[in-house]
């Protein structure tokens, strides 16, 4: 029977959808609306295109794909027939159309793998998703699958082989006649007649059951194994012509009867009809309609959110320390781009974390706009003005900026340090780790964590199994690595703690503010410290941002956590004095912030460092050094390493050097002295480390296939309706079923005919311009050329698709 044109039936189905259903379609598949289709016919062609269908299939779960594969096996079918097939209550195609493949009642296992009740519950949900995304549509009351979707599901849906007609179409006529004789079939000597007789044997369920009942046990064991799937096996000489009486093995005997078909020199395939008959009522095979369970357990520490708050504080402190150090001494970048291994190791020492952790934080800081490279031929990494804004915020706001940047990071930091094909290490901030799909893939893993009860921790292996079930089309090798990377990075960024998703992390994934949630688990900012006699100070909570900067100037962070420990030393105090502070400034700050009296040991240390600070004065000779203490200056002149600075005594209290003044001051400080620089008029100069900044560079626009707001989608649907109404009013093509066939519809019809082994009537114009009509049996469609057996000439020929004037599918031979 003639098949209705796929493009027209799909357009008609779209035309019958409500505005709300079209909005849901465009929301589920945002690529369809970019650019806006001019009418529903264009929308139908676009949603049936292979790239668009491939993107749609990527979002389907294992259950969705199994339902889709079942539809590919059955052909046009009603929902009841689909549910019966998957549940094992009815393996036939009740209500099916002309493309259905009936199942037999052979000796397969009784009942579906997941049971009729489960299939009845899951199939409608999966079918709704397929209909919403227009991967499946309805025509003449039956469910149809977009041709490209069947092609992308592969040649062996549900582990079944291709239909017998499609396998037989590739065999030569002599082999076909041998198969007919082996099965005692009466057929006309023409190729078409033999194919028709063999196909009738396979599609007649009762007849096929009788054939299988007479198969010896050794041959039946081979068939039963292939029926479970996959339906292909390997054997030498799979395409050789074998007579039944000359068969020397079970495989050869099956090849001689056509119950196995050789598809290449070493591969045999079990026809779909044979597989269905052998499976019996469990025709769909082993299904996985429900996701694997994800066992959860309490975290080791007992409090995910509490541990997450501590982790968030540590992350913020680490990023601040690293970027402050780079503001004074920015690292250089590699010529090929990215941060070199040496610079990364130095950063890890500054941040006091592992190299992998600091590489992640550098990537996140750059994504958050806190860090960028300078312009010019020798770029360096410097904080941006955004870093200053970030420093002015409280810890929760700072952490949210970092965590949000990580979730949307279009890169895979897990690749840093891996080797390319030339053995070169992949650098942080390099172009090699750019992956635009990374945010989507990362969210797939985090969504599994979000499905777990709050406060509980899932098993990592179970997370991998759930992701594999939820996104089966995602590459298995990369999927395992991505799950591992995401779990490790989430822990390092404190989106998770002890393996469980924090409440703040849940808000981030839901698009809700996360800082207030984190703030509830952090102590409020404090304005005091506990100064101790061992020259340490403990901040019992996060210090107010301005105070944290002041305390961080006069003391070094010794440990960070719920309570930050600072340590005072001569070096930290000299840092403050080098920045222009005086001893009185330090005493006033300590008296203000110390909860209790300042220990005498710290007071003495401040005064002692201040007394020695600036006793030496450096100037330009290139530089000079003067001091009222002649003995001290003599000591400096004779100290080890000073000769390289070209020093000499001009007078007991004056020393000159050929080194620049800033170099002289740095070397003296490194040797344990505390000089101060002065101007030519004798006034003091503050040689504090310069905290440089660079402007953030504009990023290349990254196209993200995200759905526009529903209000915008409603407007788009209104425009489509107006375009359809205008076409109908003017009688333009596209307002109804069209007699001409668009190229996309032609390819769709031919692709289906190849897949189902159906004959096709062609209208064709050859190179000389001569028009003809012929009936062919398609074998292969590739690169715009159809390879098919021409019944008129009794030979296999090729036809250019662009020369076809009409195409009608006639059904199977």
């Amino acid at each position: 029977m003639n098949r209705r044109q796929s493009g027209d039936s799909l357009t008609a189905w779209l035309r019958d959808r409500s505005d709300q259903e079209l909005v849901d379609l465009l929301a589920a598949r945002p690529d369809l609306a970019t650019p806006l289709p001019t009418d529903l016919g264009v929308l139908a062609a676009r949603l049936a295109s292979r790239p668009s269908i491939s993107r749609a299939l990527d979002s389907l779960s294992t259950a969705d794909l199994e339902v889709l594969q079942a539809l590919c096996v059955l052909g046009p079918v009603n929902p009841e027939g689909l549910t019966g097939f998957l549940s094992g209550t009815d393996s036939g195609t009740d209500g099916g159309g002309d493309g259905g493949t009936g199942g037999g009642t052979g000796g397969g296992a009784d009942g579906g793998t997941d049971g009729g009740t489960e299939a009845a519950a899951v199939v409608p949900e999966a079918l709704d998703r397929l209909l919403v995304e227009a991967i499946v549509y309805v025509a003449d009351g039956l469910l149809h699958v977009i041709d490209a979707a069947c092609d992308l599901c592969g040649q062996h849906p549900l582990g079944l082989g291709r239909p017998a007609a499609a396998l037989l179409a590739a065999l030569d006529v002599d082999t076909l006649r041998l198969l007919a004789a082996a099965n005692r079939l009466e057929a006309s000597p023409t190729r078409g007649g033999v194919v028709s007789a063999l196909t009738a044997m396979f599609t007649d369920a009762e007849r096929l059951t009788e054939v299988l009942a007479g198969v010896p046990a050794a041959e039946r064991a081979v068939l039963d194994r292939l029926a479970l799937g996959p339906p292909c096996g390997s054997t030498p000489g799979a395409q050789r012509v074998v007579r039944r009486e000359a068969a020397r093995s079970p495989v050869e005997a099956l090849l001689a009867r056509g119950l196995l078909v050789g598809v290449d020199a070493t591969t045999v395939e079990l026809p779909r009809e044979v597989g269905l008959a052998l499976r019996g009522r469990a025709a769909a095979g082993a299904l996985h309609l429900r996701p694997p369970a994800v066992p959860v357990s309490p975290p080791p520490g007992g409090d995910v959110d509490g541990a997450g708050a501590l982790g968030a504080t540590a992350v913020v402190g680490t990023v601040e320390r690293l970027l402050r150090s780079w503001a004074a001494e920015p690292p250089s970048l590699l010529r090929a781009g990215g941060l070199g291994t040496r610079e990364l190791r130095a950063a890890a020492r500054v941040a006091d974390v592992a190299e992998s952790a600091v590489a992640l934080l550098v990537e996140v800081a750059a994504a958050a706009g806190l860090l960028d490279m300078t312009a010019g031929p020798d770029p360096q990494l410097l904080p941006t003005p955004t870093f200053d804004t970030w420093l002015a915020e409280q810890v929760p706001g700072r952490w949210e900026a970092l965590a949000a940047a990580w979730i949307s990071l279009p890169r895979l930091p897990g690749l840093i340090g891996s080797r390319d094909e030339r053995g070169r290490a992949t650098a942080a901030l390099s172009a090699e780790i750019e992956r635009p799909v990374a945010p989507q893939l990362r969210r797939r893993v985090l969504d599994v964590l979000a499905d777990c009860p709050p406060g509980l921790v899932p098993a990592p292996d179970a997370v991998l199994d759930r992701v594999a079930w939820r996104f089966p089309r995602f590459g298995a090798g990369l999927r395992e690595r991505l799950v591992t990377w995401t779990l490790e990075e989430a822990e390092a960024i404190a989106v998770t703690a002890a393996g469980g998703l924090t409440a703040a992390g849940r808000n981030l994934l839901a698009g809700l503010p996360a800082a207030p949630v984190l703030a509830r688990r952090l102590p409020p900012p404090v304005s005091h410290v506990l100064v101790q006699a061992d020259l340490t100070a403990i901040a019992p909570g996060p210090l107010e941002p301005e105070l944290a900067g002041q305390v961080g100037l006069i003391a070094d962070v010794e440990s960070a956590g719920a309570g930050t420990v600072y340590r005072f030393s001569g070096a930290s105090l000299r840092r403050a004095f080098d920045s222009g502070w005086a001893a009185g400034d330090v005493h006033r700050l300590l008296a203000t912030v110390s909860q209790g009296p300042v220990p005498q040991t710290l007071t003495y240390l401040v005064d002692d460092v201040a007394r020695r600070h600036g006793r030496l004065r450096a100037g330009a000779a290139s530089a000079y050094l003067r001091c009222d203490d002649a003995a001290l200056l003599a000591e400096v002149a004779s100290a080890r390493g000073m000769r390289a600075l070209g020093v000499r005594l001009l007078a007991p209290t004056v020393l000159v050097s050929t080194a620049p003044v800033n170099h002289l001051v740095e070397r003296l400080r490194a040797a344990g002295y505390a000089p101060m620089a002065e101007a030519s008029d004798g006034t003091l100069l503050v040689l504090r480390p310069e905290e440089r900044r660079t402007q953030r560079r504009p990023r290349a626009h990254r196209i993200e296939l995200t759905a526009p707001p529903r209000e915008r989608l409603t407007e788009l649907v209104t425009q489509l309706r107006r375009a359809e109404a205008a076409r109908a009013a003017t009688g333009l093509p596209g307002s109804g079923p069209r007699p001409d066939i668009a190229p996309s519809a032609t390819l769709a019809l031919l692709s289906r005919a190849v897949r189902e082994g159906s004959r096709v009537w062609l209208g064709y114009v050859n190179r000389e311009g001569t028009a003809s009509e012929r009936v062919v049996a398609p074998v292969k469609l590739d690169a715009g050329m159809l390879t098919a057996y021409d019944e008129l000439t009794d030979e296999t020929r090729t036809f250019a698709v662009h020369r076809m004037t009409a195409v009608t599918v006639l059904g199977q031979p």
Side-chain angles (χ1 to χ4, degrees), residues 329 660-673 675 687:
E329 298 180 14
V661 62
N662 59 339
H663 190 194
L664 176 61
V665 171
E666 289 176 4
R667 291 293 297 270
L668 289 171
R669 287 173 179 169
Y673 300 100
L687 295 181

Side-chain angles (χ1 to χ4, degrees), residues 45-277:
R46 191 177 294 175
L47 66 83
S49 67
R50 190 181 184 95
S52 181
I53 287 293
S54 180
R55 281 191 290 268
L57 296 187
D58 287 343
S59 66
L60 298 184
S61 68
T62 297
D64 298 333
L65 286 176
E66 287 179 343
V67 172
L68 179 62
Q69 291 179 50
L71 286 169
C72 293
V73 169
L74 297 173
V77 66
N78 60 29
E80 293 77 15
L82 172 66
T83 304
F85 175 77
L86 289 170
S87 65
T89 59
D90 182 1
S91 60
T93 58
D94 183 29
D98 51 73
T101 303
T105 56
D110 186 33
T113 302
D114 288 289
T117 302
E118 185 166 85
V122 174
V123 171
E125 298 176 2
L127 190 55
D128 284 344
R129 281 189 288 273
L130 297 174
L131 287 169
V132 166
E133 299 195 21
I135 300 170
V136 173
Y137 66 100
V138 179
D140 301 327
L142 301 177
L143 300 169
H144 295 252
V145 180
I146 299 293
D147 291 331
C150 278
D151 292 340
L152 290 169
C153 283
Q155 295 181 330
H156 306 130
L158 298 179
L160 294 165
R162 287 172 286 175
L167 295 174
L168 295 173
L171 301 180
D172 60 73
V173 66
D174 292 334
T175 301
L176 291 171
R177 288 169 180 162
L178 283 177
L179 294 179
N183 287 286
R184 299 181 178 85
L185 299 177
E186 295 183 2
S188 64
T190 65
R191 188 180 192 281
V194 179
V195 172
S196 179
L198 286 169
T199 303
M201 179 189 76
F202 284 106
T203 55
D204 186 333
E206 293 184 2
R207 188 173 181 183
L208 182 59
T209 300
E210 293 176 1
V211 171
L212 293 175
V215 172
E219 298 172 22
R220 181 59 180 262
V222 174
L223 295 178
D224 287 340
R225 172 64 186 85
L226 294 178
L228 295 175
C232 295
S234 297
T235 186
Q239 289 183 314
R240 65 184 178 275
V241 179
V242 181
R243 294 182 178 275
R244 185 175 181 182
E245 58 274 11
R248 294 172 298 177
S249 67
V251 172
E252 288 188 354
L254 294 170
L255 287 170
R257 298 191 63 182
L259 296 177
L260 289 181
V261 179
V263 294
D264 60 34
T266 60
T267 306
V268 296
E269 185 170 337
L270 182 73
R272 179 173 299 174
E273 295 84 353
V274 178
L276 288 169

